[in-house]
Amino acid sequence: MGADGADLKDRAEKLRELHTGEMLVLPNVWDAASAEIVAEAGFPVVATASNAIAAMLGYPDGESAPWQDMFAAAGRIARAVSLPVTVDAEAGYGMQPRELVDRLLGIGAVGCNLEDTDHRAGGLLDADAQAEWLAAVRSAADDAGVPVVINARVDTFLPTSGIHDADRVAEAVRRGRLYRDAGADCIYPIGVRDKGDVATLVAELPGPVNGNTGDSLDLATLRELGVARVSYGPRFYRAALGRLKAGVQELLAQDVAATGPRLQ
């Protein structure tokens, strides 16, 4: 289902509006079939998971898969539904802001996750440089006439960040404020597991905050804390593979029971 410029603009505006009302829940997808399932279930937005798409393509996460393959997969997802689609664009694949925006719009996406992990050097990108880059992405989207929704990921809670545990909340707030000032629509401190940390981040960060469910953070708790958006990353992809594995193991057991063990 292709979308013209006016349609993309409408979808982007709708996606942005959905960050200010009832909590936006995003069960992330990895292909056209999973996108159609999410759309048919009644969710208002389809979001991709880079980890799941990369794994489907045979690559590890973290910009290891060729961006051409990642965008081609996301494009198939966008064409399969008539909803706003937001793409996990990792750290932007080294693209210049104009190219990134043009390629997102070219595949029919109206939103993106952009993370501040440096996949080449390791650790986190310089926060001021990342804010400057996000501002350029916002400017490029404005020039294109489509208010692309930027979900700026803050990776201070990830083990690869190099940030000491005691400093993670403060650094996430510092980075999130910079990114919000640069034009990000939503701030995504990924990997937060503590309820108190989530509450602090929601209170300290201006604008919508993206959260994740966990052992002590169900949807009701996140809603109560004021989280605006919840995403699941590769969780449903991994669950689907888990069900496939269980199914084929059961099938193999039935086959062995009927015919006897196979010679190796």
Side-chain angles (χ1 to χ4, degrees), residues 65-106:
W67 69 262
Q68 295 90 338
D69 293 348
M70 298 293 286
F71 272 71
R76 289 190 290 272
I77 288 168
R79 290 192 296 273
V81 298
S82 57
L83 298 174
V85 171
T86 180
V87 170
D88 183 351
E90 304 191 74
Y93 305 103
M95 294 182 189
Q96 293 299 311
R98 168 65 71 180
E99 180 186 6
L100 176 62
V101 168
D102 287 348
R103 292 195 182 281
L104 287 169
L105 297 178

Side-chain angles (χ1 to χ4, degrees), residues 145-163:
V146 178
V148 173
V149 175
I150 300 172
N151 190 35
R153 214 177 80 174
V154 178
D155 291 355
T156 60
F157 288 87
L158 297 183
T160 55
S161 70
I163 303 297

Side-chain angles (χ1 to χ4, degrees), residues 15-234:
L15 177 57
R16 181 173 287 173
E17 289 170 7
L18 288 167
H19 285 73
T20 59
E22 181 66 16
M23 188 170 70
L24 178 60
V25 178
L26 301 172
N28 301 73
V29 307
W30 57 93
D31 62 8
S34 57
E36 289 172 345
I37 288 171
V38 167
E40 289 168 3
F43 288 92
V45 174
V46 168
T48 73
S50 66
N51 187 304
I53 293 177
M56 179 187 69
L57 295 171
Y59 296 91
D61 193 27
E63 297 196 343
S64 298
W67 69 262
Q68 295 90 338
D69 293 348
M70 298 293 286
F71 272 71
R76 289 190 290 272
I77 288 168
R79 290 192 296 273
V81 298
S82 57
L83 298 174
V85 171
T86 180
V87 170
D88 183 351
E90 304 191 74
Y93 305 103
M95 294 182 189
Q96 293 299 311
R98 168 65 71 180
E99 180 186 6
L100 176 62
V101 168
D102 287 348
R103 292 195 182 281
L104 287 169
L105 297 178
I107 61 171
V110 295
C112 59
N113 278 17
L114 294 171
E115 60 201 46
D116 62 359
T117 287
D118 188 333
H119 292 293
R120 291 159 182 80
L124 299 180
L125 294 162
D126 177 79
D128 291 315
Q130 178 71 353
E132 184 177 345
W133 185 74
L134 290 172
V137 174
R138 167 57 60 217
S139 178
D142 291 344
D143 289 345
V146 178
V148 173
V149 175
I150 300 172
N151 190 35
R153 214 177 80 174
V154 178
D155 291 355
T156 60
F157 288 87
L158 297 183
T160 55
S161 70
I163 303 297
H164 190 276
D165 288 355
D167 300 325
R168 286 178 172 175
V169 172
E171 182 62 10
V173 169
R174 184 182 79 85
R175 286 173 174 264
R177 287 176 175 173
L178 285 171
Y179 302 163
R180 179 68 174 168
D181 288 345
D185 298 279
C186 185
I187 303 302
Y188 182 13
I190 190 172
V192 183
R193 296 289 180 260
D194 181 78
K195 181 178 177 180
D197 289 346
V198 174
T200 299
L201 291 164
V202 170
E204 296 286 337
L205 288 171
V209 172
N210 191 139
N212 304 115
T213 58
D215 293 339
S216 62
L217 295 170
D218 57 16
L219 286 178
T221 299
L222 292 174
R223 185 177 287 109
E224 179 183 323
L225 291 171
V227 168
R229 166 174 168 163
V230 180
S231 49
Y232 287 80

